[in-house]
Amino acid sequence: MGNPATVIDQYRRYVQDGRLEISEVMASELSELLISKKGKTLTESGHLVTALRDLAKIQEMRSKWKESRAAAAMLVKARKRYAKLLRSNGMKDEAKGVSNTEAEDEVQRGRVRAREGALRAALSHWKRARKVQPQLIEAYWRPMEAHLQIKSTLKGASKAGLSLAKVLTSVGPVGRVGESFQLQPENAEAQPLESLLIDLGKWLKPELALSAKASIALDASKRELERQIASIEAGEQAANAKLQAAIDTLQPTVDYHEYSRGGTA
């Protein structure tokens, strides 16, 4: 079939072009080839993890829930074997990085289960994702989305609402990349805010029956995010506060003019 890395690059280009059927075929065939190969090298084990992850996502995009679920289940085993192989080769940091990708994989599995109407199973996957990466914001707002999608109400989603409000206020500040505003947690995927703020406004509607406690907490989080966005737009807050703080620490502690006059020892 050719070099796995080349195949991966090719079908990913097909995905970008919207050619999902051929990309699924290629990812599936590559996965099957690598699964069946005995004595896989370290590199081939990594390619298998990538191919299975991509396959699960492509099948999700094609609304092939059962197939995506199966690919994701195989990914769990392949990822664990790959991490173990990395550790046995003395690559502990790389193994840790591979293990941490479990969080995003569990979020993906949860999305598929939610689309299948299996709320409890979806919530279980997102709970696991939060355990692996406590600041992965998608693992907090997906439960709200799923509750509404499956039950047509947010009654019973109070715990999810409170957890979301807590994480939104703990991973700031808001930053801007280009024209988009986002939160960038440590060691986790960035969370764009435009659509999330729209969802927050929707979830706060009284007719959706979210508990008062969760509604108050989410409303406060929403207002704070909007306040920071307004401050950035007005130039009152740095578009990248973390970068600005790092730059500030590099400011010279000795005044140049004083130094040039020989005012230092």
Side-chain angles (χ1 to χ4, degrees), residues 89-126:
N89 280 271
M91 304 171 72
K92 293 183 179 180
D93 290 341
E94 291 82 353
K96 183 178 180 181
V98 169
S99 295
N100 284 340
T101 60
E102 178 185 359
E104 291 178 39
D105 293 340
E106 287 299 300
V107 166
Q108 191 273 333
R109 297 177 79 188
R111 291 197 305 262
V112 170
R113 296 301 278 145
R115 292 302 298 267
E116 292 182 304
L119 180 58
R120 182 175 296 182
L123 293 176
S124 178
H125 286 303
W126 293 324

PDB file of all heavy atoms in Angstrom, residues 89-126:
ATOM      1  N   ASN A  89      11.244   1.205  25.492  1.00  0.00           N
ATOM      2  CA  ASN A  89      12.382   1.712  24.748  1.00  0.00           C
ATOM      3  C   ASN A  89      12.986   2.955  25.410  1.00  0.00           C
ATOM      4  O   ASN A  89      13.757   3.685  24.788  1.00  0.00           O
ATOM      5  CB  ASN A  89      11.976   2.038  23.309  1.00  0.00           C
ATOM      6  CG  ASN A  89      11.925   0.797  22.419  1.00  0.00           C
ATOM      7  OD1 ASN A  89      12.921   0.424  21.809  1.00  0.00           O
ATOM      8  ND2 ASN A  89      10.775   0.147  22.367  1.00  0.00           N
ATOM      9  N   GLY A  90      12.588   3.176  26.667  1.00  0.00           N
ATOM     10  CA  GLY A  90      13.149   4.292  27.419  1.00  0.00           C
ATOM     11  C   GLY A  90      12.613   5.655  27.044  1.00  0.00           C
ATOM     12  O   GLY A  90      13.190   6.672  27.421  1.00  0.00           O
ATOM     13  N   MET A  91      11.495   5.684  26.311  1.00  0.00           N
ATOM     14  CA  MET A  91      10.918   6.957  25.845  1.00  0.00           C
ATOM     15  C   MET A  91       9.720   7.319  26.730  1.00  0.00           C
ATOM     16  O   MET A  91       8.570   7.316  26.300  1.00  0.00           O
ATOM     17  CB  MET A  91      10.530   6.837  24.371  1.00  0.00           C
ATOM     18  CG  MET A  91      11.702   6.422  23.487  1.00  0.00           C
ATOM     19  SD  MET A  91      11.232   6.015  21.783  1.00  0.00           S
ATOM     20  CE  MET A  91      10.857   7.657  21.143  1.00  0.00           C
ATOM     21  N   LYS A  92      10.018   7.653  27.986  1.00  0.00           N
ATOM     22  CA  LYS A  92       8.959   7.872  28.975  1.00  0.00           C
ATOM     23  C   LYS A  92       8.123   9.120  28.679  1.00  0.00           C
ATOM     24  O   LYS A  92       6.905   9.108  28.844  1.00  0.00           O
ATOM     25  CB  LYS A  92       9.567   7.958  30.373  1.00  0.00           C
ATOM     26  CG  LYS A  92      10.177   6.654  30.854  1.00  0.00           C
ATOM     27  CD  LYS A  92      10.707   6.777  32.275  1.00  0.00           C
ATOM     28  CE  LYS A  92      11.291   5.446  32.750  1.00  0.00           C
ATOM     29  NZ  LYS A  92      11.821   5.544  34.143  1.00  0.00           N
ATOM     30  N   ASP A  93       8.765  10.198  28.250  1.00  0.00           N
ATOM     31  CA  ASP A  93       8.020  11.428  27.950  1.00  0.00           C
ATOM     32  C   ASP A  93       7.090  11.220  26.755  1.00  0.00           C
ATOM     33  O   ASP A  93       5.940  11.680  26.766  1.00  0.00           O
ATOM     34  CB  ASP A  93       8.982  12.577  27.653  1.00  0.00           C
ATOM     35  CG  ASP A  93       9.721  13.041  28.894  1.00  0.00           C
ATOM     36  OD1 ASP A  93       9.240  12.743  30.009  1.00  0.00           O
ATOM     37  OD2 ASP A  93      10.782  13.697  28.749  1.00  0.00           O
ATOM     38  N   GLU A  94       7.592  10.531  25.739  1.00  0.00           N
ATOM     39  CA  GLU A  94       6.763  10.238  24.567  1.00  0.00           C
ATOM     40  C   GLU A  94       5.591   9.343  24.940  1.00  0.00           C
ATOM     41  O   GLU A  94       4.459   9.540  24.465  1.00  0.00           O
ATOM     42  CB  GLU A  94       7.595   9.580  23.471  1.00  0.00           C
ATOM     43  CG  GLU A  94       8.630  10.484  22.820  1.00  0.00           C
ATOM     44  CD  GLU A  94       9.918  10.604  23.612  1.00  0.00           C
ATOM     45  OE1 GLU A  94       9.965  10.091  24.755  1.00  0.00           O
ATOM     46  OE2 GLU A  94      10.879  11.197  23.081  1.00  0.00           O
ATOM     47  N   ALA A  95       5.850   8.381  25.818  1.00  0.00           N
ATOM     48  CA  ALA A  95       4.784   7.477  26.263  1.00  0.00           C
ATOM     49  C   ALA A  95       3.709   8.237  27.035  1.00  0.00           C
ATOM     50  O   ALA A  95       2.507   7.991  26.870  1.00  0.00           O
ATOM     51  CB  ALA A  95       5.366   6.370  27.138  1.00  0.00           C
ATOM     52  N   LYS A  96       4.142   9.193  27.842  1.00  0.00           N
ATOM     53  CA  LYS A  96       3.188  10.012  28.592  1.00  0.00           C
ATOM     54  C   LYS A  96       2.328  10.844  27.653  1.00  0.00           C
ATOM     55  O   LYS A  96       1.109  10.977  27.846  1.00  0.00           O
ATOM     56  CB  LYS A  96       3.936  10.920  29.565  1.00  0.00           C
ATOM     57  CG  LYS A  96       3.025  11.752  30.448  1.00  0.00           C
ATOM     58  CD  LYS A  96       3.833  12.589  31.429  1.00  0.00           C
ATOM     59  CE  LYS A  96       2.915  13.424  32.309  1.00  0.00           C
ATOM     60  NZ  LYS A  96       3.690  14.276  33.262  1.00  0.00           N
ATOM     61  N   GLY A  97       2.962  11.384  26.612  1.00  0.00           N
ATOM     62  CA  GLY A  97       2.217  12.169  25.631  1.00  0.00           C
ATOM     63  C   GLY A  97       1.162  11.338  24.923  1.00  0.00           C
ATOM     64  O   GLY A  97       0.039  11.797  24.707  1.00  0.00           O
ATOM     65  N   VAL A  98       1.528  10.101  24.566  1.00  0.00           N
ATOM     66  CA  VAL A  98       0.578   9.204  23.905  1.00  0.00           C
ATOM     67  C   VAL A  98      -0.575   8.874  24.849  1.00  0.00           C
ATOM     68  O   VAL A  98      -1.748   8.876  24.450  1.00  0.00           O
ATOM     69  CB  VAL A  98       1.290   7.916  23.452  1.00  0.00           C
ATOM     70  CG1 VAL A  98       0.267   6.865  23.014  1.00  0.00           C
ATOM     71  CG2 VAL A  98       2.248   8.216  22.311  1.00  0.00           C
ATOM     72  N   SER A  99      -0.268   8.619  26.111  1.00  0.00           N
ATOM     73  CA  SER A  99      -1.317   8.297  27.085  1.00  0.00           C
ATOM     74  C   SER A  99      -2.270   9.469  27.274  1.00  0.00           C
ATOM     75  O   SER A  99      -3.480   9.277  27.453  1.00  0.00           O
ATOM     76  CB  SER A  99      -0.677   7.909  28.423  1.00  0.00           C
ATOM     77  OG  SER A  99       0.076   6.716  28.298  1.00  0.00           O
ATOM     78  N   ASN A 100      -1.742  10.699  27.214  1.00  0.00           N
ATOM     79  CA  ASN A 100      -2.584  11.873  27.405  1.00  0.00           C
ATOM     80  C   ASN A 100      -3.560  12.095  26.259  1.00  0.00           C
ATOM     81  O   ASN A 100      -4.581  12.775  26.436  1.00  0.00           O
ATOM     82  CB  ASN A 100      -1.719  13.118  27.590  1.00  0.00           C
ATOM     83  CG  ASN A 100      -1.090  13.196  28.971  1.00  0.00           C
ATOM     84  OD1 ASN A 100      -1.568  12.559  29.910  1.00  0.00           O
ATOM     85  ND2 ASN A 100      -0.024  13.964  29.098  1.00  0.00           N
ATOM     86  N   THR A 101      -3.263  11.525  25.081  1.00  0.00           N
ATOM     87  CA  THR A 101      -4.202  11.676  23.965  1.00  0.00           C
ATOM     88  C   THR A 101      -5.496  10.898  24.212  1.00  0.00           C
ATOM     89  O   THR A 101      -6.468  11.069  23.470  1.00  0.00           O
ATOM     90  CB  THR A 101      -3.578  11.192  22.638  1.00  0.00           C
ATOM     91  OG1 THR A 101      -3.224   9.800  22.750  1.00  0.00           O
ATOM     92  CG2 THR A 101      -2.336  11.999  22.295  1.00  0.00           C
ATOM     93  N   GLU A 102      -5.496  10.077  25.248  1.00  0.00           N
ATOM     94  CA  GLU A 102      -6.714   9.335  25.594  1.00  0.00           C
ATOM     95  C   GLU A 102      -7.878  10.283  25.844  1.00  0.00           C
ATOM     96  O   GLU A 102      -9.033   9.967  25.526  1.00  0.00           O
ATOM     97  CB  GLU A 102      -6.483   8.475  26.834  1.00  0.00           C
ATOM     98  CG  GLU A 102      -7.719   7.701  27.285  1.00  0.00           C
ATOM     99  CD  GLU A 102      -7.519   6.954  28.583  1.00  0.00           C
ATOM    100  OE1 GLU A 102      -6.408   7.005  29.152  1.00  0.00           O
ATOM    101  OE2 GLU A 102      -8.490   6.307  29.031  1.00  0.00           O
ATOM    102  N   ALA A 103      -7.595  11.449  26.412  1.00  0.00           N
ATOM    103  CA  ALA A 103      -8.671  12.381  26.742  1.00  0.00           C
ATOM    104  C   ALA A 103      -9.464  12.790  25.506  1.00  0.00           C
ATOM    105  O   ALA A 103     -10.695  12.707  25.483  1.00  0.00           O
ATOM    106  CB  ALA A 103      -8.091  13.615  27.436  1.00  0.00           C
ATOM    107  N   GLU A 104      -8.758  13.219  24.466  1.00  0.00           N
ATOM    108  CA  GLU A 104      -9.455  13.631  23.247  1.00  0.00           C
ATOM    109  C   GLU A 104     -10.120  12.437  22.556  1.00  0.00           C
ATOM    110  O   GLU A 104     -11.186  12.582  21.948  1.00  0.00           O
ATOM    111  CB  GLU A 104      -8.473  14.320  22.305  1.00  0.00           C
ATOM    112  CG  GLU A 104      -8.006  15.672  22.816  1.00  0.00           C
ATOM    113  CD  GLU A 104      -7.000  16.319  21.879  1.00  0.00           C
ATOM    114  OE1 GLU A 104      -7.181  16.203  20.656  1.00  0.00           O
ATOM    115  OE2 GLU A 104      -6.044  16.926  22.383  1.00  0.00           O
ATOM    116  N   ASP A 105      -9.503  11.267  22.665  1.00  0.00           N
ATOM    117  CA  ASP A 105     -10.120  10.071  22.094  1.00  0.00           C
ATOM    118  C   ASP A 105     -11.426   9.745  22.811  1.00  0.00           C
ATOM    119  O   ASP A 105     -12.415   9.346  22.181  1.00  0.00           O
ATOM    120  CB  ASP A 105      -9.164   8.873  22.204  1.00  0.00           C
ATOM    121  CG  ASP A 105      -7.929   9.037  21.322  1.00  0.00           C
ATOM    122  OD1 ASP A 105      -7.978   9.837  20.371  1.00  0.00           O
ATOM    123  OD2 ASP A 105      -6.924   8.360  21.593  1.00  0.00           O
ATOM    124  N   GLU A 106     -11.436   9.927  24.136  1.00  0.00           N
ATOM    125  CA  GLU A 106     -12.651   9.654  24.905  1.00  0.00           C
ATOM    126  C   GLU A 106     -13.740  10.681  24.606  1.00  0.00           C
ATOM    127  O   GLU A 106     -14.929  10.352  24.588  1.00  0.00           O
ATOM    128  CB  GLU A 106     -12.329   9.635  26.401  1.00  0.00           C
ATOM    129  CG  GLU A 106     -11.567   8.403  26.851  1.00  0.00           C
ATOM    130  CD  GLU A 106     -12.357   7.119  26.610  1.00  0.00           C
ATOM    131  OE1 GLU A 106     -13.454   6.978  27.160  1.00  0.00           O
ATOM    132  OE2 GLU A 106     -11.874   6.273  25.832  1.00  0.00           O
ATOM    133  N   VAL A 107     -13.343  11.913  24.355  1.00  0.00           N
ATOM    134  CA  VAL A 107     -14.322  12.928  23.952  1.00  0.00           C
ATOM    135  C   VAL A 107     -14.973  12.511  22.634  1.00  0.00           C
ATOM    136  O   VAL A 107     -16.192  12.610  22.462  1.00  0.00           O
ATOM    137  CB  VAL A 107     -13.652  14.314  23.816  1.00  0.00           C
ATOM    138  CG1 VAL A 107     -14.576  15.286  23.080  1.00  0.00           C
ATOM    139  CG2 VAL A 107     -13.316  14.877  25.194  1.00  0.00           C
ATOM    140  N   GLN A 108     -14.148  12.032  21.707  1.00  0.00           N
ATOM    141  CA  GLN A 108     -14.671  11.590  20.408  1.00  0.00           C
ATOM    142  C   GLN A 108     -15.629  10.413  20.576  1.00  0.00           C
ATOM    143  O   GLN A 108     -16.705  10.377  19.956  1.00  0.00           O
ATOM    144  CB  GLN A 108     -13.504  11.212  19.487  1.00  0.00           C
ATOM    145  CG  GLN A 108     -13.881  10.988  18.026  1.00  0.00           C
ATOM    146  CD  GLN A 108     -14.338   9.570  17.730  1.00  0.00           C
ATOM    147  OE1 GLN A 108     -13.952   8.613  18.416  1.00  0.00           O
ATOM    148  NE2 GLN A 108     -15.173   9.406  16.703  1.00  0.00           N
ATOM    149  N   ARG A 109     -15.267   9.466  21.414  1.00  0.00           N
ATOM    150  CA  ARG A 109     -16.142   8.315  21.656  1.00  0.00           C
ATOM    151  C   ARG A 109     -17.463   8.772  22.275  1.00  0.00           C
ATOM    152  O   ARG A 109     -18.540   8.254  21.937  1.00  0.00           O
ATOM    153  CB  ARG A 109     -15.453   7.308  22.580  1.00  0.00           C
ATOM    154  CG  ARG A 109     -14.183   6.703  22.007  1.00  0.00           C
ATOM    155  CD  ARG A 109     -13.520   5.770  22.993  1.00  0.00           C
ATOM    156  NE  ARG A 109     -14.173   4.460  23.019  1.00  0.00           N
ATOM    157  CZ  ARG A 109     -13.885   3.510  23.893  1.00  0.00           C
ATOM    158  NH1 ARG A 109     -12.979   3.715  24.839  1.00  0.00           N
ATOM    159  NH2 ARG A 109     -14.510   2.350  23.844  1.00  0.00           N
ATOM    160  N   GLY A 110     -17.382   9.753  23.153  1.00  0.00           N
ATOM    161  CA  GLY A 110     -18.590  10.281  23.774  1.00  0.00           C
ATOM    162  C   GLY A 110     -19.502  10.955  22.761  1.00  0.00           C
ATOM    163  O   GLY A 110     -20.730  10.811  22.825  1.00  0.00           O
ATOM    164  N   ARG A 111     -18.907  11.683  21.821  1.00  0.00           N
ATOM    165  CA  ARG A 111     -19.724  12.340  20.794  1.00  0.00           C
ATOM    166  C   ARG A 111     -20.526  11.323  19.995  1.00  0.00           C
ATOM    167  O   ARG A 111     -21.714  11.521  19.714  1.00  0.00           O
ATOM    168  CB  ARG A 111     -18.832  13.149  19.834  1.00  0.00           C
ATOM    169  CG  ARG A 111     -18.176  14.370  20.421  1.00  0.00           C
ATOM    170  CD  ARG A 111     -17.679  15.305  19.319  1.00  0.00           C
ATOM    171  NE  ARG A 111     -16.789  14.669  18.372  1.00  0.00           N
ATOM    172  CZ  ARG A 111     -15.459  14.731  18.399  1.00  0.00           C
ATOM    173  NH1 ARG A 111     -14.854  15.405  19.389  1.00  0.00           N
ATOM    174  NH2 ARG A 111     -14.723  14.145  17.470  1.00  0.00           N
ATOM    175  N   VAL A 112     -19.865  10.214  19.649  1.00  0.00           N
ATOM    176  CA  VAL A 112     -20.534   9.178  18.862  1.00  0.00           C
ATOM    177  C   VAL A 112     -21.653   8.528  19.657  1.00  0.00           C
ATOM    178  O   VAL A 112     -22.759   8.327  19.135  1.00  0.00           O
ATOM    179  CB  VAL A 112     -19.511   8.120  18.397  1.00  0.00           C
ATOM    180  CG1 VAL A 112     -20.210   6.910  17.789  1.00  0.00           C
ATOM    181  CG2 VAL A 112     -18.557   8.733  17.371  1.00  0.00           C
ATOM    182  N   ARG A 113     -21.391   8.216  20.924  1.00  0.00           N
ATOM    183  CA  ARG A 113     -22.432   7.584  21.746  1.00  0.00           C
ATOM    184  C   ARG A 113     -23.625   8.522  21.930  1.00  0.00           C
ATOM    185  O   ARG A 113     -24.779   8.080  21.954  1.00  0.00           O
ATOM    186  CB  ARG A 113     -21.850   7.182  23.100  1.00  0.00           C
ATOM    187  CG  ARG A 113     -20.756   6.132  23.029  1.00  0.00           C
ATOM    188  CD  ARG A 113     -21.261   4.842  22.368  1.00  0.00           C
ATOM    189  NE  ARG A 113     -21.973   4.012  23.314  1.00  0.00           N
ATOM    190  CZ  ARG A 113     -23.025   3.266  23.002  1.00  0.00           C
ATOM    191  NH1 ARG A 113     -23.530   3.303  21.776  1.00  0.00           N
ATOM    192  NH2 ARG A 113     -23.604   2.502  23.893  1.00  0.00           N
ATOM    193  N   ALA A 114     -23.331   9.810  22.047  1.00  0.00           N
ATOM    194  CA  ALA A 114     -24.421  10.781  22.178  1.00  0.00           C
ATOM    195  C   ALA A 114     -25.273  10.812  20.920  1.00  0.00           C
ATOM    196  O   ALA A 114     -26.511  10.880  20.992  1.00  0.00           O
ATOM    197  CB  ALA A 114     -23.854  12.175  22.477  1.00  0.00           C
ATOM    198  N   ARG A 115     -24.627  10.741  19.765  1.00  0.00           N
ATOM    199  CA  ARG A 115     -25.383  10.725  18.505  1.00  0.00           C
ATOM    200  C   ARG A 115     -26.215   9.456  18.374  1.00  0.00           C
ATOM    201  O   ARG A 115     -27.225   9.433  17.670  1.00  0.00           O
ATOM    202  CB  ARG A 115     -24.431  10.872  17.311  1.00  0.00           C
ATOM    203  CG  ARG A 115     -23.769  12.230  17.224  1.00  0.00           C
ATOM    204  CD  ARG A 115     -24.777  13.363  17.146  1.00  0.00           C
ATOM    205  NE  ARG A 115     -25.605  13.296  15.977  1.00  0.00           N
ATOM    206  CZ  ARG A 115     -25.357  13.910  14.833  1.00  0.00           C
ATOM    207  NH1 ARG A 115     -24.251  14.626  14.712  1.00  0.00           N
ATOM    208  NH2 ARG A 115     -26.169  13.812  13.810  1.00  0.00           N
ATOM    209  N   GLU A 116     -25.800   8.410  19.066  1.00  0.00           N
ATOM    210  CA  GLU A 116     -26.575   7.175  19.078  1.00  0.00           C
ATOM    211  C   GLU A 116     -27.686   7.209  20.125  1.00  0.00           C
ATOM    212  O   GLU A 116     -28.478   6.270  20.230  1.00  0.00           O
ATOM    213  CB  GLU A 116     -25.663   5.977  19.359  1.00  0.00           C
ATOM    214  CG  GLU A 116     -24.682   5.674  18.239  1.00  0.00           C
ATOM    215  CD  GLU A 116     -23.828   4.465  18.529  1.00  0.00           C
ATOM    216  OE1 GLU A 116     -23.149   4.447  19.577  1.00  0.00           O
ATOM    217  OE2 GLU A 116     -23.802   3.527  17.711  1.00  0.00           O
ATOM    218  N   GLY A 117     -27.729   8.297  20.904  1.00  0.00           N
ATOM    219  CA  GLY A 117     -28.763   8.425  21.928  1.00  0.00           C
ATOM    220  C   GLY A 117     -28.422   7.769  23.245  1.00  0.00           C
ATOM    221  O   GLY A 117     -29.274   7.680  24.137  1.00  0.00           O
ATOM    222  N   ALA A 118     -27.175   7.330  23.405  1.00  0.00           N
ATOM    223  CA  ALA A 118     -26.754   6.638  24.627  1.00  0.00           C
ATOM    224  C   ALA A 118     -26.112   7.654  25.580  1.00  0.00           C
ATOM    225  O   ALA A 118     -24.887   7.770  25.660  1.00  0.00           O
ATOM    226  CB  ALA A 118     -25.781   5.520  24.288  1.00  0.00           C
ATOM    227  N   LEU A 119     -26.943   8.386  26.321  1.00  0.00           N
ATOM    228  CA  LEU A 119     -26.452   9.469  27.160  1.00  0.00           C
ATOM    229  C   LEU A 119     -25.524   8.960  28.263  1.00  0.00           C
ATOM    230  O   LEU A 119     -24.455   9.528  28.485  1.00  0.00           O
ATOM    231  CB  LEU A 119     -27.626  10.230  27.778  1.00  0.00           C
ATOM    232  CG  LEU A 119     -27.252  11.409  28.691  1.00  0.00           C
ATOM    233  CD1 LEU A 119     -26.420  12.437  27.939  1.00  0.00           C
ATOM    234  CD2 LEU A 119     -28.512  12.058  29.274  1.00  0.00           C
ATOM    235  N   ARG A 120     -25.936   7.901  28.955  1.00  0.00           N
ATOM    236  CA  ARG A 120     -25.119   7.412  30.058  1.00  0.00           C
ATOM    237  C   ARG A 120     -23.722   7.000  29.583  1.00  0.00           C
ATOM    238  O   ARG A 120     -22.718   7.307  30.229  1.00  0.00           O
ATOM    239  CB  ARG A 120     -25.808   6.236  30.748  1.00  0.00           C
ATOM    240  CG  ARG A 120     -25.042   5.702  31.949  1.00  0.00           C
ATOM    241  CD  ARG A 120     -25.823   4.619  32.673  1.00  0.00           C
ATOM    242  NE  ARG A 120     -27.056   5.144  33.241  1.00  0.00           N
ATOM    243  CZ  ARG A 120     -27.902   4.414  33.963  1.00  0.00           C
ATOM    244  NH1 ARG A 120     -27.657   3.125  34.174  1.00  0.00           N
ATOM    245  NH2 ARG A 120     -28.991   4.944  34.452  1.00  0.00           N
ATOM    246  N   ALA A 121     -23.662   6.295  28.460  1.00  0.00           N
ATOM    247  CA  ALA A 121     -22.366   5.871  27.920  1.00  0.00           C
ATOM    248  C   ALA A 121     -21.528   7.079  27.513  1.00  0.00           C
ATOM    249  O   ALA A 121     -20.315   7.124  27.751  1.00  0.00           O
ATOM    250  CB  ALA A 121     -22.573   4.949  26.726  1.00  0.00           C
ATOM    251  N   ALA A 122     -22.173   8.066  26.902  1.00  0.00           N
ATOM    252  CA  ALA A 122     -21.459   9.276  26.488  1.00  0.00           C
ATOM    253  C   ALA A 122     -20.883  10.002  27.695  1.00  0.00           C
ATOM    254  O   ALA A 122     -19.716  10.413  27.693  1.00  0.00           O
ATOM    255  CB  ALA A 122     -22.397  10.200  25.722  1.00  0.00           C
ATOM    256  N   LEU A 123     -21.679  10.137  28.742  1.00  0.00           N
ATOM    257  CA  LEU A 123     -21.221  10.816  29.948  1.00  0.00           C
ATOM    258  C   LEU A 123     -20.043  10.087  30.580  1.00  0.00           C
ATOM    259  O   LEU A 123     -19.134  10.709  31.126  1.00  0.00           O
ATOM    260  CB  LEU A 123     -22.367  10.933  30.960  1.00  0.00           C
ATOM    261  CG  LEU A 123     -23.530  11.845  30.553  1.00  0.00           C
ATOM    262  CD1 LEU A 123     -24.634  11.781  31.600  1.00  0.00           C
ATOM    263  CD2 LEU A 123     -23.058  13.275  30.355  1.00  0.00           C
ATOM    264  N   SER A 124     -20.047   8.778  30.496  1.00  0.00           N
ATOM    265  CA  SER A 124     -18.948   7.977  31.036  1.00  0.00           C
ATOM    266  C   SER A 124     -17.640   8.266  30.291  1.00  0.00           C
ATOM    267  O   SER A 124     -16.577   8.399  30.913  1.00  0.00           O
ATOM    268  CB  SER A 124     -19.284   6.488  30.943  1.00  0.00           C
ATOM    269  OG  SER A 124     -18.217   5.701  31.429  1.00  0.00           O
ATOM    270  N   HIS A 125     -17.719   8.375  28.981  1.00  0.00           N
ATOM    271  CA  HIS A 125     -16.522   8.688  28.189  1.00  0.00           C
ATOM    272  C   HIS A 125     -15.992  10.086  28.537  1.00  0.00           C
ATOM    273  O   HIS A 125     -14.777  10.276  28.684  1.00  0.00           O
ATOM    274  CB  HIS A 125     -16.834   8.621  26.701  1.00  0.00           C
ATOM    275  CG  HIS A 125     -16.993   7.226  26.175  1.00  0.00           C
ATOM    276  ND1 HIS A 125     -16.004   6.278  26.294  1.00  0.00           N
ATOM    277  CD2 HIS A 125     -18.022   6.621  25.512  1.00  0.00           C
ATOM    278  CE1 HIS A 125     -16.410   5.145  25.736  1.00  0.00           C
ATOM    279  NE2 HIS A 125     -17.625   5.324  25.255  1.00  0.00           N
ATOM    280  N   TRP A 126     -16.885  11.051  28.680  1.00  0.00           N
ATOM    281  CA  TRP A 126     -16.442  12.413  28.984  1.00  0.00           C
ATOM    282  C   TRP A 126     -15.893  12.521  30.401  1.00  0.00           C
ATOM    283  O   TRP A 126     -14.977  13.296  30.651  1.00  0.00           O
ATOM    284  CB  TRP A 126     -17.598  13.387  28.759  1.00  0.00           C
ATOM    285  CG  TRP A 126     -17.972  13.471  27.312  1.00  0.00           C
ATOM    286  CD1 TRP A 126     -17.120  13.406  26.240  1.00  0.00           C
ATOM    287  CD2 TRP A 126     -19.285  13.607  26.763  1.00  0.00           C
ATOM    288  NE1 TRP A 126     -17.825  13.503  25.070  1.00  0.00           N
ATOM    289  CE2 TRP A 126     -19.152  13.620  25.347  1.00  0.00           C
ATOM    290  CE3 TRP A 126     -20.559  13.709  27.320  1.00  0.00           C
ATOM    291  CZ2 TRP A 126     -20.248  13.747  24.502  1.00  0.00           C
ATOM    292  CZ3 TRP A 126     -21.655  13.839  26.475  1.00  0.00           C
ATOM    293  CH2 TRP A 126     -21.490  13.855  25.083  1.00  0.00           C
TER     294      TRP A 126
END
